[in-house]
């Protein structure tokens, strides 16, 4: 595609190259191939289910090892809360107080979210704050009709010169109402980290945030630091990073031509959570827990969540230690046939690596090389919850282009739902990805892997979006826990539903795991 001088300057300002942008446009033209599902991963076929004894053993193993390890918790937290309030923004825009009641609006639009919000509003963590703001700004609030009160209350929450919650990063919104204070998701992540992501009474947390929110995250940490440290007897080291502009991708028109804004500039968009691989790649730790910012619980459920995390962490460390011991042995090159078969068995049964059927026919030198290549990779243990009909990705066995079969987390957008056999496999899925990972990013010599080498670039996503009312196609990089980790060694373990409590919409805060008095 031909770019103007101005375009080239704009591309360079994002640390991108014309070649890279053209390659992205080419991808829109050729389309991203669907993945080839071989089977759904379920219990006994790619997903482990621990007995109570096995769980306790893994937790004990983790507790014995944690102070020898550099542990870090990585939290993608750049999301704004705008989507949480989408149905309220819509209500303010569409509701006509002169011609209908709030109830008739709800009935006309089948607005069940709004109905739930209004019924449960007093249980929301920001209710008192919003009410005091309402009374401060509208002195005659109590004399208004019920419908007027509802409308004014919602306006106070959202409007930019009022509480402006739609602008807030999700991590800094009021999330949980305790007797003596209101906590944010950011604060809950600190309390949680003290339980399972700390070592020698210190916890390292890394949040990926939007650069414009850095000051308010800093202010929030300053406000709560001493309180949380005193309560948990843990010192917190917090670091932040931003999504790199060079990971932005160009948007195109439905005809695959570069999409231009009204001022003639090219439109670039953030390329989804796959862009965060760069951020993860900069970090240095032995064990990294990954969990989304909105997936937290009130304090009474934290121990249950922490137990599940420690179980996953214990399994990771145990498998990693065995893999490292085998890699040291392979380096000596002096292994018997029996030892080589033991290592192949470990890969097959413990790391769920499908070994080539020709393996036993390989020369000994090639067997050693093959095993080393399969073992010497980043490793991740991923919690999986039973599917309760949540949208999103899940665990599957995938057949790659070269015929390799591996365990992957797959988003539904990557699956060809028009293909009957693929649709049937999708229907057989029993588990769902809650984004609950424990990762080992160092090799057996203690050196960091370059995580960019383990990405499958063909697992990007193309999605339809709009900008100022015009349709466009957007490109997302291979998801952080999808194609970005395609060539990691992957272990799936069933974890309890209590570990999955995302807040996609503000009414999710009414669920038991976000309520203190339930």
């Amino acid at each position: 595609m031909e770019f103007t001088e101005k375009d080239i300057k704009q591309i360079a300002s994002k640390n991108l190259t014309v070649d890279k942008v053209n390659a992205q446009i080419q991808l829109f033209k050729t389309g991203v191939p669907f993945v080839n599902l071989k089977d759904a991963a379920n219990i006994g076929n790619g997903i482990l289910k621990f007995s109570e004894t096995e769980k306790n053993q893994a937790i004990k193993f983790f507790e014995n090892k944690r102070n020898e390890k550099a542990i870090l918790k990585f939290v993608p937290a750049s999301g704004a809360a705008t989507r949480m309030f989408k149905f309220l923004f819509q209500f303010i825009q569409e509701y006509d107080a002169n011609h209908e009641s709030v109830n008739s609006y709800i009935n006309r639009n089948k607005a069940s979210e709004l109905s739930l919000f209004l019924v449960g509003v007093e249980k929301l963590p920001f209710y008192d704050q919003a009410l005091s703001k309402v009374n401060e700004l509208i002195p005659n609030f109590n004399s208004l009709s019920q419908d007027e009160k509802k409308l004014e209350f919602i306006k106070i929450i959202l409007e930019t010169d009022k509480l402006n919650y739609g602008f807030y990063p999700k991590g800094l919104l009021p999330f949980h109402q305790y007797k003596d204070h209101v906590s944010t998701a950011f604060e809950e992540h600190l309390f949680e980290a003290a339980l399972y992501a700390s070592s020698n009474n210190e916890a390292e947390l890394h949040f990926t945030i939007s650069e414009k929110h850095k000051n308010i995250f800093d202010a929030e940490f300053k406000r709560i630091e001493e309180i949380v440290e005193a309560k948990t007897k843990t010192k917190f080291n917090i670091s932040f990073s931003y999504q790199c502009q060079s990971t932005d991708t160009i948007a195109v028109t439905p005809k695959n031509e570069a999409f231009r804004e009204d001022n003639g500039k090219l439109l670039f968009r953030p390329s989804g959570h796959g862009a965060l691989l760069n951020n993860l790649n900069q970090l240095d730790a032995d064990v990294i827990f990954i969990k989304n910012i909105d997936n937290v619980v009130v304090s009474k459920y934290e121990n249950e969540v922490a137990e599940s995390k420690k179980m996953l962490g214990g399994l990771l460390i145990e498998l990693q230690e065995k893999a490292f011991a085998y890699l040291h042995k392979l380096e000596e090159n002096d292994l018997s046939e029996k030892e080589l078969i033991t290592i192949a068995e470990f890969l097959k049964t413990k790391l769920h690596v499908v070994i080539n059927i020709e393996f036993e026919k390989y020369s000994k030198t090639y067997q050693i090389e093959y095993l080393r290549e399969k073992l010497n990779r980043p490793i991740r243990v991923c919690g999986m919850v039973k599917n309760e009909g949540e949208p999103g990705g899940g665990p599957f066995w995938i057949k790659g282009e070269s015929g390799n079969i591996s365990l992957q987390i797959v988003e539904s957008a990557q699956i060809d739902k028009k293909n009957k056999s693929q649709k049937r496999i999708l229907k057989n899925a029993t588990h769902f990805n809650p984004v609950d990972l424990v990762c080992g990013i160092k090799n057996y010599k203690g050196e960091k892997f370059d995580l960019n080498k383990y990405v499958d670039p063909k697992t990007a996503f193309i999605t339809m979006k709009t900008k100022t009312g015009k349709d466009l196609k957007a490109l997302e990089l291979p998801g952080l826990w999808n194609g970005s980790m395609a060539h990691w060694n992957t272990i799936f373990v069933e974890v309890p539903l209590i570990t999955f409590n995302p807040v996609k919409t503000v009414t999710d805060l009414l669920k038991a795991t976000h309520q203190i008095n339930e």
Side-chain angles (χ1 to χ4, degrees), residues 28-56:
F28 282 114
K29 289 177 178 172
T30 56
V32 175
F34 289 114
V35 296
N36 183 5
L37 301 181
K38 186 179 181 293
D39 206 355
N42 36 44
I43 304 292
N45 180 30
I47 302 179
L48 303 174
K49 186 179 172 71
F50 278 33
S51 67
E52 201 60 29
T53 309
E54 288 167 331
K55 175 186 157 184
N56 291 333

Side-chain angles (χ1 to χ4, degrees), residues 72-80 169-172 175 185-186 189 205-210 217 239-243 272-277 279-280 283 288-296 434-437 439 479-481 485 504:
L72 183 141
K73 188 178 185 189
F74 180 83
V75 185
S78 57
K170 219 187 239 193
L172 296 183
F175 249 51
F186 175 73
H189 272 283
L205 289 96
H206 184 88
F207 294 85
T208 63
I209 61 171
S210 172
F217 271 101
S239 58
F240 299 105
S241 63
Y242 320 120
Q243 193 162 314
H273 53 71
L276 300 181
L277 187 71
N279 306 60
L280 186 64
L283 301 175
I288 299 181
F289 288 91
I290 300 181
K291 192 179 182 197
N292 279 335
I293 187 69
D294 61 339
N295 186 10
V296 287
V435 187
D436 183 2
L437 292 85
C439 302
L480 182 59
W481 37 84
M485 296 182 175
K504 299 298 176 203

Side-chain angles (χ1 to χ4, degrees), residues 53-97:
T53 309
E54 288 167 331
K55 175 186 157 184
N56 291 333
Q57 279 170 346
I59 292 170
K60 194 176 173 186
F61 189 79
F62 179 79
E63 293 289 15
N64 289 339
K65 296 280 180 179
R66 70 191 287 178
N67 290 339
E68 303 165 17
K69 302 284 180 187
I71 301 175
L72 183 141
K73 188 178 185 189
F74 180 83
V75 185
S78 57
T82 321
R83 276 191 217 161
M84 281 175 62
F85 298 103
K86 190 180 170 189
F87 68 94
L88 293 180
F89 279 114
Q90 196 177 345
F91 169 66
I92 287 177
Q93 214 176 342
E94 295 175 359
Y95 175 60
D96 182 353

Side-chain angles (χ1 to χ4, degrees), residues 167-169 172 186 212-221:
F167 154 82
Y168 266 57
L172 296 183
F186 175 73
K212 65 182 177 189
H213 295 142
K214 171 81 162 64
N215 291 343
I216 48 178
F217 271 101
D218 282 339
E220 173 68 357
F221 182 51

Side-chain angles (χ1 to χ4, degrees), residues 381-395:
V381 174
C382 313
M384 288 292 153
V385 292
K386 276 190 182 161
N387 198 335
E388 301 279 310
E390 290 284 348

Side-chain angles (χ1 to χ4, degrees), residues 123-152:
K123 286 185 168 187
L124 289 167
F126 48 77
Y127 176 73
D128 292 342
Q129 190 186 352
L131 198 60
S132 93
K133 195 81 176 161
V134 162
N135 287 314
E136 176 199 322
L137 296 175
I138 309 170
N140 67 331
F141 181 72
N142 287 328
S143 60
L144 298 178
S145 72
Q146 286 303 314
D147 277 4
E148 286 169 332
K149 281 180 179 174
K150 287 167 185 172
L151 183 60
E152 291 305 330

Side-chain angles (χ1 to χ4, degrees), residues 363-416:
S363 69
K364 190 176 175 182
T365 313
Y366 185 53
Q367 282 184 334
I368 289 169
E369 199 183 310
Y370 178 88
L371 293 173
R372 189 185 289 141
E373 197 274 327
K374 293 284 187 193
L375 262 184
N376 195 28
R377 296 178 181 210
I379 182 171
R380 58 177 178 160
V381 174
C382 313
M384 288 292 153
V385 292
K386 276 190 182 161
N387 198 335
E388 301 279 310
E390 290 284 348
F396 291 90
W397 290 98
I398 297 300
K399 192 169 189 177
E401 277 186 346
S402 57
N404 286 340
I405 291 159
S406 62
L407 279 177
Q408 303 289 344
I409 296 170
V410 179
E411 299 296 324
S412 59
Q414 294 176 274
I415 299 166
D416 182 1

